[in-house]
Amino acid sequence: MSDVAVPEPGRGEVLIRVGAASVHPGDYFVMTGEPYMVRLMFGLRRPRHGIPGMDLAGVVTAVGTDVTALHPGDEVFGWTGSGALAQYACVRAENLVPVPPGLSITEAAAVPPVGMTALQALRDIAKVQPGQTVLVTGASGGVGSFAVQIAKALGAEVTGVCRTANLEMVRMLGADHVIDYTATDVTRAGSRYDVIFDNVEAQPLAEVRAALAPTGTLIPNSGRGGRWFGPLGRIAKARILSGFTRQRLRPFTSVGRRQDLLALADLLATGEVAPAIDRTYPLEAAAEALAPVGARPHPGEGRGRRLTSATRAHRTCRHSGGSPQGKKDR
């Protein structure tokens, strides 16, 4: 932890007093530098930007030049490349949208980018239609919890896979069926699904395809892979196999899009989707919040999102690479 000057917004930016920020595997990958390919984008020896954190919600306190849609006092949420684990952050105005009525700032911070990932995967890649069957692995995690709700909002019949302790939570998210992966191997259960959104990739691609309908869509999305190139090998294999089967194997990388965040805001406002929050930490405990995120749990072991809340004069959580276990590394 360190004390730094409050940043000033540049052209097209706004200064946010951060109310809450969420942590996710992307923060862990950048901080540890693994897979090594992330170092090409974020710094070879240590992260190029000293303050981690990509998702946040808070109150606009100042606006830079050319910003007309946001004003001081507006409650907003969105994403940034870095710097969210602080009490103040400068963010591109185009990456922010108003917090929907009835949603707290803490809840709003749990939405991007996992909500956008689930929305883009199911609506744009799988093109889920009413009446289709959708299987979501890791259904109690950050992306999975949104995927269950978004698939239901799209009219699908949804099956969620998670561990025993999270079965009731996934039911409450709206899943029509829930499978305990510790008791049942979903790839051998006999059912076949129009869409499989695999947020865990705990089983070989061939086994998962056995549960996919003959013309169904499989979206691998765990981010797992080798130490050097991460998931690129798995992505390439899925792309190649897809050319030799009627099944659609569609790994993808989500992108931040303001229109998608606005679509999520509409779903949040109507109550069709609600963020699942595992636990909230003070900013000083950001390392504790982040440590389990990089542990790569088994299917469904995650439970919603973990968030930090900033409450003191401007402090930031800084990192220099290595282990996330202690404050000196954050």
Side-chain angles (χ1 to χ4, degrees):
M1 299 294 297
S2 62
D3 296 310
V4 300
V6 175
E8 296 184 4
R11 183 183 297 273
E13 293 183 332
V14 299
L15 177 65
I16 303 296
R17 185 173 70 247
V18 181
S22 57
V23 297
H24 58 83
D27 298 312
Y28 185 89
F29 297 154
V30 172
M31 188 184 67
T32 60
E34 291 186 16
Y36 293 141
M37 68 175 185
V38 305
R39 300 186 182 207
L40 297 176
M41 297 177 286
F42 296 99
L44 293 177
R45 296 178 61 86
R46 64 180 60 198
R48 191 173 294 114
H49 303 286
I51 305 171
M54 304 177 184
D55 324 321
L56 79 172
V59 178
V60 176
T61 62
V63 301
T65 56
D66 296 339
V67 175
T68 58
L70 297 175
H71 305 88
D74 290 347
E75 292 188 349
V76 295
F77 72 110
W79 76 97
T80 182
S82 62
L85 291 178
Q87 290 183 301
Y88 289 88
C90 286
V91 183
R92 297 289 302 173
E94 62 193 16
N95 293 358
L96 299 166
V97 302
V99 174
L103 201 70
S104 71
I105 284 179
T106 298
E107 291 170 324
V111 178
V114 292
M116 287 190 286
T117 298
L119 180 68
Q120 291 168 14
L122 297 172
R123 183 196 63 188
D124 303 336
I125 305 299
K127 302 186 186 303
V128 171
Q129 300 297 314
Q132 286 190 313
T133 54
V134 175
L135 177 74
V136 178
T137 69
S140 61
V143 174
S145 60
F146 274 100
V148 169
Q149 298 175 84
I150 290 171
K152 286 298 298 180
L154 293 172
E157 179 181 342
V158 181
T159 299
V161 180
C162 62
R163 63 173 176 167
T164 310
N166 295 336
L167 293 174
E168 186 56 32
M169 170 191 169
V170 175
R171 289 192 186 97
M172 292 180 65
L173 291 172
D176 299 286
H177 315 283
V178 180
I179 294 176
D180 181 349
Y181 74 85
T182 67
T184 302
D185 182 347
V186 69
T187 66
R188 300 180 181 180
S191 297
R192 305 192 79 176
Y193 301 89
D194 297 310
V195 176
I196 297 179
F197 190 20
D198 190 358
N199 296 296
V200 179
E201 296 186 77
Q203 295 166 288
L205 193 61
E207 294 184 16
V208 179
R209 287 178 57 201
L212 186 64
T215 57
T217 300
L218 168 62
I219 304 175
N221 185 55
S222 73
R224 291 185 176 187
R227 193 171 187 181
W228 283 90
F229 299 106
L232 290 185
R234 300 168 70 93
I235 291 173
K237 181 179 180 180
R239 292 286 188 187
I240 293 170
L241 283 175
S242 191
F244 297 92
T245 175
R246 291 189 299 158
Q247 294 175 324
R248 300 174 67 243
L249 313 182
R250 293 290 186 268
F252 86 112
T253 301
S254 63
V255 295
R257 291 198 296 246
R258 188 173 188 272
Q259 60 266 38
D260 289 340
L261 201 56
L262 286 168
L264 286 167
D266 289 340
L267 292 171
L268 291 161
T270 61
E272 292 179 272
V273 170
I277 297 174
D278 176 24
R279 184 176 171 187
T280 301
Y281 299 76
L283 180 59
E284 289 78 4
E288 181 184 349
L290 184 57
V293 176
R296 297 188 177 185
H298 293 294
E301 199 164 7
R303 186 180 176 89
R305 304 206 70 191
R306 292 178 172 233
L307 298 98
T308 65
S309 178
T311 56
R312 298 184 185 171
H314 187 40
R315 305 197 71 195
T316 68
C317 185
R318 304 185 71 86
H319 59 186
S320 58
S323 167
Q325 299 299 322
K327 284 184 181 179
K328 62 184 178 63
D329 295 324
R330 295 291 297 160

